[in-house]
Amino acid sequence: MTALEPSDADVATEAATEAAPPVATDSGQDGILGKTHRALSIGIICVVLLIAFEATAVGTAMPVAARELRGVSLYAFAFSAYFTTSLFAMVLSGQWADRSGPLRPLVTGITAFALGLLLSGTAGAMWLFIAGRAVQGLGGGLVIVALYVVVSRAYSERLRPAIMAAFAASWVIPSVVGPLASGTVTEHLGWRWVFVGIPVLVILPLATALPAIRQMASGPTDPAVPVPAFDRRRIRLALAISLGAGLLQYAGQDLTWWSLLPGAAGAALIVPAVLGLLPHGTYRAARGMPSVILLRGVAAGSFIAAESFVPLMLVTQRGLSPTLAGLSLAVGGATWALGSYIQSRPRMEPHRERLLMGGMVLVAVAIAAAPSVLIASVPVWVVGVGWAVGCLGMGAVIASTSVLLLKLSPPEEAGTNSAALQISDGLSNVLLLAAGGAAFAALGGGAVGAHDLTAANASHPAAFAAVFLPMAAVALAGVWVATRVRVVRDGV
């Protein structure tokens, strides 16, 4: 639906178009870059590329920005503000896209994303900088869920694995080039240019993708059915989960007895909100959609929580420079894309459950092998090789869970289910990272929220083992969850 009220003839034409989109007549040879999907694919891949570049480049400039704005004590909130608002935006975007199509939430999200970057880049005080990050989070949450709905509507089931593989590949170049480019710009031009320069990239995806989205994926799934109202209960739950996540992050960064109070309040808000926003049976790995969403959280949370401690371990225990420690993980971007590519091959479709199981085994092995470098005789390259193997498994798992989610979702529920998938992904990162950080601090690792690698030289090796080994166990539990994604009755 457009901003102006269409005539009856326009509605009829739009309904006919949506009832028989181009992908419905897929000949079996037209790929994601074929004539039918070329403009759409290039446009939405550029959107993912924009988000990836922001995620990798902005983090490099953030410490300089915090020092210049005299807000180092609030540094962590520049990250948590993004995540907290994005959780709420995910739920809002899912409902919005299911009601009237993904076009409006996508445009609003990209616009908010760009405005947030501009606000942060022109901020004269740290609180304005954090406010800009919060606006970015709103935009990012709207965009990521809207993109899933676009894929659900505009691409046939045969093409979805390929477009998800393209999304994964879009992170490879930014993960390598982003920090280097950001560091160079920050050093020679100033940190503000990293923020105010990225919004220019918005022009290309908007100009390329929006006409194709309007043609292939806009409007409600069934124009003849009255548009339902927003579910106010889910909106309230989204606010609760966002506030709860923010309180938990604050508690994890404070590391005092007083932090137990906001931590308990955050948990009290999150638990009922999660039960209300995720499909029934997710917590017990019920077959089908609940297990797909749970697996996404298990995989993302365990891997990202462990990865956060790899550079710290290499610097403090093996004496590597921060640059070399970061480069030890660089090859993971390529193997992640490779894993996503493997799952996109047509011959893998009948074996997707086994692919998920194998991917989680690789993730568990990589996490368990990482602390082996705490033994002086083990070469440090073992971590790089192991993490490349883990990223291979993650590429297969993350893309496959996205494909399965869209396969199991009715068109009118694609937005809501995509939001649930992203909530499982993001919230598990916070919870498992907080748990890992608490275990690390309890065994002599010290606080890691200050982002000062040199300040943790006294960390006890056991503190790192207390992070990696439990996360490996969580990933191993994901192997069992992967056996639950198949709905035998439906032949999934």
Side-chain angles (χ1 to χ4, degrees), residues 269-312:
L269 287 169
I270 283 179
V271 172
V274 167
L275 293 177
L277 291 173
L278 300 187
H280 179 68
T282 298
Y283 71 95
R284 57 181 175 84
R287 282 196 173 275
M289 180 72 72
S291 287
V292 171
I293 290 175
L294 178 61
L295 180 61
R296 178 61 162 262
V298 167
S302 60
F303 190 79
I304 298 302
E307 186 178 56
S308 299
F309 287 85
V310 170
L312 183 66

Side-chain angles (χ1 to χ4, degrees), residues 83 87 90 148 278 293-302 304 336 394 398 401-402 418-431:
F83 170 76
L87 279 176
M90 289 172 187
Y148 271 71
L278 300 187
I293 290 175
L294 178 61
L295 180 61
R296 178 61 162 262
V298 167
S302 60
I304 298 302
W336 189 304
M394 283 294 289
I398 296 300
T401 52
S402 299
S418 297
L421 187 76
Q422 297 302 321
I423 288 173
S424 177
D425 187 319
L427 190 59
S428 66
N429 288 343
V430 170
L431 296 179

Side-chain angles (χ1 to χ4, degrees), residues 176 181 222 230 239 287 296 321 358 360 465:
V176 177
D222 187 355
F230 277 100
L239 288 171
R287 282 196 173 275
R296 178 61 162 262
S321 68
M360 290 308 302

Side-chain angles (χ1 to χ4, degrees), residues 206-461:
L206 281 177
T208 305
L210 294 189
I213 294 174
R214 183 177 291 109
Q215 178 184 0
M216 303 174 69
S218 64
T221 54
D222 187 355
V225 176
V227 177
F230 277 100
D231 187 337
R232 294 183 179 181
R233 174 178 173 273
R234 293 185 67 84
I235 297 297
R236 288 194 298 270
L237 291 175
L239 288 171
I241 203 172
S242 297
L243 179 58
L247 290 171
L248 281 178
Q249 290 176 87
Y250 174 80
Q253 294 155 12
D254 191 21
L255 295 179
T256 65
W257 286 109
W258 290 106
S259 66
L260 293 177
L261 294 177
L269 287 169
I270 283 179
V271 172
V274 167
L275 293 177
L277 291 173
L278 300 187
H280 179 68
T282 298
Y283 71 95
R284 57 181 175 84
R287 282 196 173 275
M289 180 72 72
S291 287
V292 171
I293 290 175
L294 178 61
L295 180 61
R296 178 61 162 262
V298 167
S302 60
F303 190 79
I304 298 302
E307 186 178 56
S308 299
F309 287 85
V310 170
L312 183 66
M313 179 175 65
L314 293 178
V315 169
T316 61
Q317 303 299 311
R318 298 302 298 265
L320 268 66
S321 68
T323 300
L324 287 178
L327 287 176
S328 68
L329 305 179
V331 70
T335 56
W336 189 304
L338 177 61
S340 188
Y341 171 77
I342 291 172
Q343 67 79 36
S344 72
R345 309 310 298 159
R347 69 182 64 180
M348 298 303 298
E349 185 59 37
H351 311 291
R352 194 166 293 279
E353 180 182 347
R354 293 183 180 179
L355 184 65
L356 286 168
M357 295 171 62
M360 290 308 302
V361 169
L362 295 180
V363 172
V365 168
I367 297 175
S372 65
V373 297
L374 294 170
I375 303 172
S377 59
V378 177
V380 294
W381 56 258
V382 168
V383 171
V385 173
W387 220 249
V389 171
C391 285
L392 179 69
M394 283 294 289
V397 171
I398 296 300
S400 289
T401 52
S402 299
V403 171
L404 283 173
L405 176 118
L406 297 179
K407 184 177 182 178
L408 295 172
S409 297
E412 66 276 6
E413 297 178 6
T416 298
N417 290 337
S418 297
L421 187 76
Q422 297 302 321
I423 288 173
S424 177
D425 187 319
L427 190 59
S428 66
N429 288 343
V430 170
L431 296 179
L432 290 180
L433 185 56
F440 183 78
L443 291 180
V448 295
H451 299 270
D452 182 4
L453 296 178
T454 61
N457 285 327
S459 299
H460 195 282

Side-chain angles (χ1 to χ4, degrees), residues 20-33 36-37 40-41 44 148-164 216-217 343-344 346 349 352 402-404 406-409 411:
V23 293
T25 57
D26 188 0
S27 65
Q29 299 177 350
D30 188 20
I32 62 172
L33 293 178
T36 302
H37 299 91
L40 177 62
S41 296
I44 62 177
Y148 271 71
V149 180
V150 169
V151 172
S152 173
R153 293 192 181 194
Y155 294 85
S156 67
E157 190 173 306
R158 181 184 69 85
L159 294 177
R160 289 172 191 165
I163 192 63
M164 290 300 175
M216 303 174 69
Q343 67 79 36
S344 72
E349 185 59 37
R352 194 166 293 279
S402 299
V403 171
L404 283 173
L406 297 179
K407 184 177 182 178
L408 295 172
S409 297

